[in-house]
Structures are given as structure tokens and as C-alpha cells.
Amino acid sequence: MIIWDLVVVGAGPAGLSAAYAAARAGVSTLVVERATHPRYKTCGGGLIGTSLAAVQDRIEVPAHDRVDRVTFTRDGRREFTRRNDSPVVTMVRREEFDDRLRAAAVAAGAQMRERVAVRAIEQDTEGVRLRLADGTTIAARAVIGADGSSGVTARHVGVRYRQVDLGLELEIPVPPAEQERWRGRLLLDWGAMPGSYAWVFPKNDKLTVGVIAGRGAGEGTRDYLRQFVDRLGLTGLPAEHDSGHLTRCREEDSPLRNGRVLVVGDAAGLLEPWSREGISFALRSGELAGAAVAGGDLTGYERAVAERLVPEMRAGFRLLDVFTRRPDVFHALLATPPGWRMFVQFCQGRASFEEMLRRRPIRAALAVLDRLPGPRRPTVIHPGSEDALRGVTWHWR
């Protein structure tokens, strides 16, 4: 049996970044993926500057639009639009973006096996064995799990989640008039449900339209999407894709490793809690894990995440709490020049929320908002798989 230095489970941005970093360093690397590239992925497909920086030396980004205008609404009302001199967000279709990341990993020396499903993981002091759906086994000295928050690697590591959200999304082909209406502009709507929002992301001849809210309010989230699409005047246009997914943010002390198995990206619950932006966290955590395997220091990955990514997530939870309690104030602040500048700085990757929240005026403003009453967002703390999440009990934070 071939014993690989590294097997990566899952070929999304996190897994392919890990494979690229490890293979480029001379690590014998195999990536296994249950689907076949290019494949559709439920995702807004908006790349912020942090993501662009992570891939700038690896691929040419297949952009379908570069947004310099953002329209904000509060549950369909109080609309305003702001414009920036340079692009704020770059729009991609995930099937193309991920396929280019795949090609870069292969060019770096990684090998790919698609249509492969991992069913179980076993490990001992010698290494890790992956049992596949066809009954065969793959052996490795280390494994990086990038198969999502409900995948086998997250269960094996025992990832725990602080926040679980339901996202619903439509991919809608649109006629030329709608294409022109949305070219270079995205829409963000802060919803009526606590912590919810909706979006329109333009991608040439298609629009990605979606909503996200706390898991446990499924019917309300579906109603929000229907009402949102109707307000946009898009109800009569058939969707090419109609899909949903759960996003999960980890507990800060949740494990990232079990022995020789590391988890990255969604599998680790690494994403920005307020916007639920996960691509930049996937790209960065994957690269950190691949470098840790290449350097022979698996604990180095845990240290790197704690130093570089956890502070950003902590700030995101703080921002989400403010947004949940005071969405109207949040909306009004974005209309101000300082609020818009902060939004642009985050989107362009020039400042993280963690850096912004250290600024004295922002700390003072948050202290005032903390003293104002407002609704709290339901949250769930629960480990494990999709089956384990059924029937969870919501409580107020």
C-alpha cells in the first residue's frame, strides 16, 4: 500500500490551498474529492481583498464582475447606495474558481482522485487510514480535512460550534436589462429576523440572490427569500440553482487537530461570524495547515490559527452581537462616511474587524450601544454532524 505523506479530504478552497502549500514544499500529496470538478457550490462567490491576496501568486481570478457600488436597505426600506473609486468585491463563480485552484495544486505536484467518498478514519502512532465508500483504504502520515462542517473529518476531530446559520440561495440567469441594472453593484438588505441579511451578487448574465439567518427559523428564512426576490422584481425568472446550506462558526476553544488529522476551512468552523464570509478563512487556514505538515510541526497549525484567525473571529462575533441588537443603528452608521470607509477597508482587505474594533472611537461607540436594549439573536452550541444537529434546543445568549 502506498503511504502518502499527506492526504487532503475535500477539494474546495481550503483543501486545495493545503495541497498546494504542501506539494510545493515537496510533500507527497493526494487530494480526494467526492464530486468532480468543475462543480457547482452554494456560495455567494464574493472575493474580498484578503482572498485575492491569498491567491494572487497562484491563479488568475476568473472574475465575472468587480463591484464598486453597494446598495444597503433595511428590510427593503431606507435605501442608500455608496460608491468607491476602486473595486470593493470581486465576483466569481465557484465552479470556475475552485477548478483553477485544483489546477494550481496539481501543477505544484499534488495528485487528485475524484468521485471518492471517505467513510471512516482510523489512526495510530504510525499514521492514518481512510476507509472509502468502495471498501478500499488509503494510508497517510497526516490528513487534512476540508470536507465541510458535516464531514467525516470534523466528526473525527470533534469540532464544536458556537453559531449555526441557514443560508438559502438562488442562481438566476437574467436578461440584458437586469444585467445592466446590476453591473458593478451589489445589494445588502438587513432582514427583520435577528442577525439576518440578504444579498444580490452580480455575475454578468446571472445574479446570485440569497438570505441567511439563524438555524431553527427555516420557514421564516424561506419567507424572507421569497419576499426579497419579489421586491427585486425577479419572481418570474426561473432559477438555474436553488440550494441551501448550513454555515457553522467554531467555539474558540474547539479542537483543530486530533493526532495526525487537522481540519481547515468549513470543516474547522473557520469563517467570519457577522458576514459569514468563509473563502478567505478557507484559503488562509488551508495554507497554514499545508505548511505545518510540510514543516513537520502539526501543533504549529493550531498556534497559527490562534494567532492569525481567532482574533478576527472574536471581533466578528462582537460585531454580530451589535448588529443583532441594533440593526437600525448599524444601517445608519454605514450611511456615514466613516462607516462606509470601514466597510470598504474590510472588503478590500486593508483592515480586519479585529483591527477596527481596537480603534478608540469605535470602542466608545460600542460601549454606548451596549447600554441600549435590543433583541438577542438565537444561537446554538452543539458538536457533530447533521444528524446530531437535528432537534437542538435554542436558547438566548
Side-chain angles (χ1 to χ4, degrees):
M1 181 182 294
I2 297 175
I3 301 178
W4 298 86
D5 291 334
L6 171 65
V7 173
V8 178
V9 182
L16 293 170
S17 294
Y20 177 83
R24 196 179 180 198
V27 176
S28 67
T29 303
L30 173 68
V31 182
V32 295
E33 164 63 36
R34 62 184 177 183
T36 301
H37 284 279
R39 82 282 189 268
Y40 177 78
K41 177 74 173 178
T42 302
C43 177
L47 299 187
I48 62 174
T50 308
S51 298
L52 295 174
V55 301
Q56 64 182 353
D57 297 328
R58 201 186 326 173
I59 66 169
E60 180 180 352
V61 174
H64 282 270
D65 206 338
R66 299 185 192 276
V67 167
D68 60 9
R69 288 168 294 141
V70 182
T71 296
F72 300 94
T73 56
R74 171 67 173 117
D75 198 22
R77 295 168 284 110
R78 299 169 57 188
E79 176 179 323
F80 64 89
T81 299
R82 294 292 180 265
R83 184 168 193 162
N84 196 57
D85 292 336
S86 57
V88 175
V89 181
T90 297
M91 298 299 171
V92 298
R93 296 173 183 169
R94 281 289 303 275
E95 59 268 32
E96 299 173 353
F97 181 68
D98 290 10
D99 197 42
R100 294 202 182 183
L101 294 176
R102 177 203 58 78
V106 170
Q111 295 192 35
M112 288 281 304
R113 287 181 59 186
E114 298 181 314
R115 298 186 182 277
V116 173
V118 176
R119 293 291 187 240
I121 301 174
E122 300 174 351
Q123 62 173 314
D124 53 31
T125 56
E126 301 300 318
V128 187
R129 292 174 299 281
L130 303 177
R131 181 165 54 79
L132 308 183
D134 64 5
T136 62
T137 300
I138 298 175
R141 293 183 176 86
V143 167
I144 293 177
D147 51 340
S149 58
S150 61
V152 64
T153 60
R155 293 196 299 272
H156 181 79
V157 171
V159 180
R160 301 189 310 278
Y161 304 104
R162 170 176 173 175
Q163 172 183 321
V164 184
D165 295 300
L166 171 64
L168 303 176
E169 190 170 87
L170 303 173
E171 198 82 14
I172 306 175
V174 292
E178 286 293 329
Q179 295 174 35
E180 189 59 32
R181 175 191 175 197
W182 291 101
R183 197 180 315 280
R185 179 172 71 99
L186 66 81
L187 168 65
L188 295 175
D189 175 77
W190 318 122
M193 291 185 294
S196 68
Y197 77 94
W199 62 88
V200 179
F201 285 176
K203 299 171 186 176
N204 286 333
D205 61 341
K206 297 178 183 178
L207 296 177
T208 300
V209 181
V211 301
I212 195 162
R215 186 183 187 272
E219 189 55 41
T221 306
R222 286 186 286 272
D223 286 342
Y224 183 18
L225 179 59
R226 285 191 292 267
Q227 294 167 11
F228 184 59
V229 171
D230 186 57
R231 286 203 304 259
L232 297 169
L234 301 173
T235 302
L237 298 177
E240 185 176 278
H241 296 282
D242 182 346
S243 57
H245 68 289
L246 293 177
T247 65
R248 300 175 173 93
C249 293
R250 68 190 291 267
E251 281 282 4
E252 187 167 319
D253 62 350
S254 174
L256 294 165
R257 179 176 67 92
N258 178 358
R260 296 170 180 262
V261 179
L262 290 68
V263 284
V264 295
D266 286 347
L270 293 168
L271 68 156
E272 199 286 301
W274 168 63
S275 66
R276 289 79 155 187
E277 189 280 324
I279 295 178
S280 71
F281 283 81
L283 294 167
R284 290 179 290 168
S285 64
E287 184 175 356
L288 292 173
V293 172
D297 179 16
L298 301 188
T299 62
Y301 170 63
E302 297 167 296
R303 293 193 301 272
V305 169
E307 293 170 4
R308 303 183 195 183
L309 302 184
V310 167
E312 293 183 28
M313 292 188 67
R314 191 181 299 141
F317 279 119
R318 180 77 171 96
L319 190 62
L320 176 65
D321 181 64
V322 174
F323 171 64
T324 299
R325 290 186 290 114
R326 306 299 304 180
D328 293 323
V329 175
F330 191 93
H331 182 68
L333 287 174
L334 282 171
T336 67
W340 171 241
R341 282 197 299 270
M342 286 175 52
F343 182 84
V344 170
Q345 288 172 358
F346 166 73
C347 290
Q348 292 186 334
R350 294 189 285 118
S352 68
F353 288 144
E354 188 268 334
E355 294 169 321
M356 293 179 190
L357 265 58
R358 291 204 305 262
R359 299 172 185 173
R360 183 175 297 176
I362 297 176
R363 292 204 313 270
L366 291 177
V368 172
L369 291 174
D370 282 341
R371 292 193 290 270
L372 299 176
R376 293 282 180 166
R377 182 179 183 276
T379 188
V380 64
I381 301 176
H382 204 281
S385 67
E386 195 69 27
D387 291 337
L389 282 167
R390 292 195 183 102
V392 296
T393 300
W394 293 82
H395 61 86
W396 299 102
R397 186 171 55 211

